[in-house]
Amino acid sequence: MTSTVDPGTTTPEPEIGKARARKEDEHLLTGRTKWTDNLVLPGMVHLAILRSPLAHARITRIDVTEARKMPGVLAVYTGADLAEEQGSLPCAWPITPDMKAPPAPSLAVDTVHFAGEAVAVVAARSAYEAHDALEGIDVDYDELPVVLDLAAAAREGSDLVHPDLGTNVSATWTFDSAEAGTGGNVEDAIRDAEVVVERTFRQQRLIPAFMEPRSTVVDPTGPQITMWSATQVPHVLKLMLAMSLGIPEHKLRVVAPDVGGGFGGKLQVTPEEVVTLLVARRLGKPAKYTESRSESMAAAHHGRDQIQKLTLAARRDGTVTGLKVELLADMGAYLRLVTPGVPILGAFMFNGIYKFGSYHFTCTNVFTTKVPTDAYRGAGRPEATFAIERIMDELAAELSMDPLELREKNWIRHEEFPFATIAGLTYDSGNYEAATAQATDLFDYDGLRREQAERRDRNDPVQLGIGISTFTEMCGLAPSRVLGSLAYGAGGWEHASIRMLPTGKVEVVTGASAHGQGHETAFSQIVADRLGIPFEDIEVLHGDTQTSPRGLDTYGSRSLAVGGIAIVAAAEKVVAKARPIAAHLLECAEEDLEFTEGRFRVAGTQKAVALTDVALAVFAAHNLPDGIEPNLDSEATYDPDNFSYPHGTHLCAVEVDTETGWVRIRKYVCVDDIGHVVNPLIVDGQVHGGLAQGIAQALYEEAVHDETGTLLSGSFAEYLLPSSADLPTFTTGRTETPATGNPLGVKGVGEAGTIASTPAVVNSVLDAVRHLGVRDIDMPCTPMRVWHAIESAQGGAR
């Protein structure tokens, strides 16, 4: 029987805003993780891939005879063997109509274009036998000129990575405020400026270095080909594989099981996924490939790698009037999935939080004989934030102004929102004043400035530097029309469905595919509040294109601001479908019903029925209104009209030993505004992880190649990642300016810490030694580079 009398209940505490421990962590911590590499299928073969030791060479001969004879080997394939099947790896972002995009085979056929490129694959009964057999493959190469210097590669007459293209320039993309109608002519602003500051910054090449190396298992033996992959993008991967390899889409299933981090490094259709699928299909057996850490660092895509030339025009009082950006971006040897578009995302963020009267942006994408670049945490926006925050400090130094005062003079005031920017975006909400006031208070900005002056006065060998980064970012990467205007090959919507089970439990199916973000917890909290269902009674399903057939996955801080809102919309449809049934059970009109805390109540009475009871009544279908189907399950697709714009103020104090160049972070304070917070525990984790990654770019990480194009930083012995001992205790705070474009008022947080922290740290290092004549230090600011910059500025006199 369905109760129609409300016994009276205590109002439950809202789930949104509660610091719940992540429900998905238990099986990770207790060793029941389902990594791709843990999968074992009957009859499965193991793959090993032979990679080129040379950065640029013609393959003149491959002899696999001995390898095929080795124990346990079932097959050996070269690029020539798979040439007709493998096609070319997809690039989904042709940023200009004339963009040059060379064929990108998964296995090189006749020429290799970076050290680490795959040239042959062995299939054997065990991983050990497969790797042993690599020694039996004999390859002859005819070396070709390497192209490593980005600036030189862009010039006429340079050696060519792909001679058939006739140039190393893939595309040139521009935005001009005068042409777009968003502002004036930047050349006029520079000509008429009272002060012009011109600087060139280097964004070093970085390696995503995710926790779990990439792994792929393919089973071709069922009615569908099933691929398990450590990927961020199972839906995108399925579509791209189907289109690239000619597989009927309904005959392909992609599953992302537990995925150990991604940072953009698993936002890809990889050569290894294609090769594993082709080999499995040829042999008619399940096949597995799992990369080693050194393979991951040498062959998985890298991030950043740009030369940024900025020209800033201003008045003597510090008012900025124009910004010109000339960017060279290293594509590496090929265009991967979104390679050419990554630097273009930054085009809309170089203006940051500031009011410019004119703006011009030019990006030239250039091929080199290095590993391809692609998305890396923040994807274009950290690069832009670094550049604008660095040059704002340079302008402050030029004018002898406090850098915080200069920023305040130029930023968008809270009463000016929504604000149409010089780059053509509309920032919906923000309060930079509030975030900065809280940050400076937590930081003791004035006190640290006094200590800095005292250290300088006494010529202390350990100097104090203070760095500032006041930032915003465009995230919730989504609006399909905007992406279409940029020639992106897909939309940005997200899909969700909610299944109401007869016992009142709930299954939430989302197209957002988690790889450590806490989706299951946060999405359960949203549904719990919207439907009045206990948090523990909600299961979130994701990462399987058969369970969740529609979705666009996880990147660009879009999971909550896009995927979460799709879930809200689906929940609202559940309530709407339940309403006429509840009215029928309560013998009242629909318009007389109120829905709160999971119950439909007749207004002004105690008569009520729980949504869970409606779900059971729907299952029984004994007493439903005429014409109503017995089903509460609902789905929704959400495509926002705008990005979301989190912002914040990050302040860093470092101590720099001027005699050794050693840098120690003494204090780090950040106050971020990400709109309403669903789970503060998850937010803090995201911020802390992002800070570690951004600080790592400032002080530690760099992919380094020798003169032959060989990666020298090919293991964690050479590629320096900070440990907890290298990082300070972070002081974090929050302000909440709700987003106006979605019903939760949420923004993104997954990339904020990485975007903001790098310029804060580098600005603090330079602030510590600027009075010694140092104007710039290339990242990472290692002790050697800092010491050398000081010595050079002092003329080597010390």
Side-chain angles (χ1 to χ4, degrees), residues 22 24-41 44 210-218 227-231 255-262 266 288-291 293 514-517 520 542:
R22 302 196 323 177
E24 52 266 74
D25 285 351
E26 181 180 356
H27 79 282
L28 300 175
L29 297 173
T30 54
R32 297 197 297 274
T33 314
K34 297 178 181 177
W35 306 122
T36 303
D37 191 44
N38 291 348
L39 292 174
V40 178
L41 301 180
M44 186 172 72
F210 28 71
M211 184 180 295
E212 176 207 14
R214 299 171 304 162
S215 183
T216 302
V217 173
V218 176
M227 173 183 285
W228 293 264
S229 183
T231 180
V255 182
D258 291 324
V259 177
K266 293 174 182 173
K288 177 193 287 186
Y289 168 80
T290 300
E291 69 185 2
R293 179 60 66 181
H515 47 281
Q517 291 87 348
E520 294 176 30
H542 60 87

Side-chain angles (χ1 to χ4, degrees), residues 286-335:
K288 177 193 287 186
Y289 168 80
T290 300
E291 69 185 2
S292 66
R293 179 60 66 181
S294 60
E295 282 182 295
S296 175
M297 300 184 81
H301 77 245
H302 293 172
R304 311 285 194 255
D305 207 346
Q306 297 179 0
I307 298 173
Q308 306 168 310
K309 181 182 177 183
L310 273 69
T311 306
L312 180 65
R315 294 198 289 264
R316 277 284 166 197
D317 67 357
T319 303
V320 296
T321 58
L323 178 66
K324 182 178 180 180
V325 178
E326 299 165 272
L327 206 66
L328 286 179
D330 193 339
M331 303 289 96
Y334 301 103
L335 302 181

Side-chain angles (χ1 to χ4, degrees), residues 50 61-68 76 78 136-140:
L50 183 70
R61 184 181 69 93
I62 300 182
D63 187 348
V64 300
T65 305
E66 292 303 315
R68 284 176 174 154
V76 182
T78 67
I137 302 175
D138 189 18
V139 186
D140 290 339

Side-chain angles (χ1 to χ4, degrees), residues 274-294:
V274 172
V275 168
T276 304
L277 191 157
L278 294 180
V279 171
R281 191 168 63 176
R282 279 206 173 194
L283 295 179
K285 297 175 179 291
K288 177 193 287 186
Y289 168 80
T290 300
E291 69 185 2
S292 66
R293 179 60 66 181
S294 60

Side-chain angles (χ1 to χ4, degrees), residues 57-246:
R58 189 171 292 108
I59 301 170
T60 58
R61 184 181 69 93
I62 300 182
D63 187 348
V64 300
T65 305
E66 292 303 315
R68 284 176 174 154
K69 297 176 182 177
M70 295 183 73
V73 172
L74 281 73
V76 182
Y77 301 108
T78 67
D81 296 326
L82 301 180
E84 295 301 316
E85 296 175 64
Q86 66 177 337
S88 180
L89 290 164
C91 174
W93 204 335
I95 61 170
T96 64
D98 61 349
M99 183 183 81
K100 292 177 171 57
S106 295
L107 283 182
V109 178
D110 51 25
T111 306
V112 293
H113 294 95
F114 66 90
E117 185 168 1
V119 297
V121 58
V122 173
R125 299 194 184 280
S126 73
Y128 301 105
E129 289 169 322
H131 281 90
D132 286 347
L134 295 181
E135 298 294 328
I137 302 175
D138 189 18
V139 186
D140 290 339
Y141 297 98
D142 183 4
E143 292 194 48
L144 298 170
V146 295
V147 180
L148 303 174
D149 184 274
L150 175 57
R155 292 195 287 265
E156 287 286 335
S158 171
D159 289 321
L160 298 179
V161 180
H162 301 281
D164 290 349
L165 301 181
T167 178
N168 288 323
V169 173
S170 172
T172 299
W173 190 94
T174 62
F175 176 90
D176 187 272
S177 60
E179 294 177 2
T182 60
N185 184 287
V186 77
E187 297 299 340
D188 292 343
I190 293 170
R191 184 195 63 228
D192 298 337
E194 296 172 348
V195 180
V196 176
V197 177
E198 183 178 291
R199 296 287 187 272
T200 299
F201 305 124
R202 188 73 171 91
Q203 282 278 325
Q204 79 269 39
R205 178 174 280 247
L206 301 177
I207 300 175
F210 28 71
M211 184 180 295
E212 176 207 14
R214 299 171 304 162
S215 183
T216 302
V217 173
V218 176
D219 185 358
T221 62
Q224 293 175 300
I225 297 174
T226 300
M227 173 183 285
W228 293 264
S229 183
T231 180
Q232 295 176 225
V233 288
H235 296 91
V236 173
L237 178 59
K238 175 188 175 184
L239 177 63
M240 292 293 102
L241 287 173
M243 294 175 67
S244 300
L245 301 178

Side-chain angles (χ1 to χ4, degrees), residues 14 66 192-193 219 245 350 456 470 504 565 572 618 699 777 790:
E66 292 303 315
D192 298 337
D219 185 358
L245 301 178
F350 272 89
R456 289 184 180 179
T470 49
I565 307 307
E572 290 173 349
V618 166
L699 298 179
I777 302 170
I790 295 170

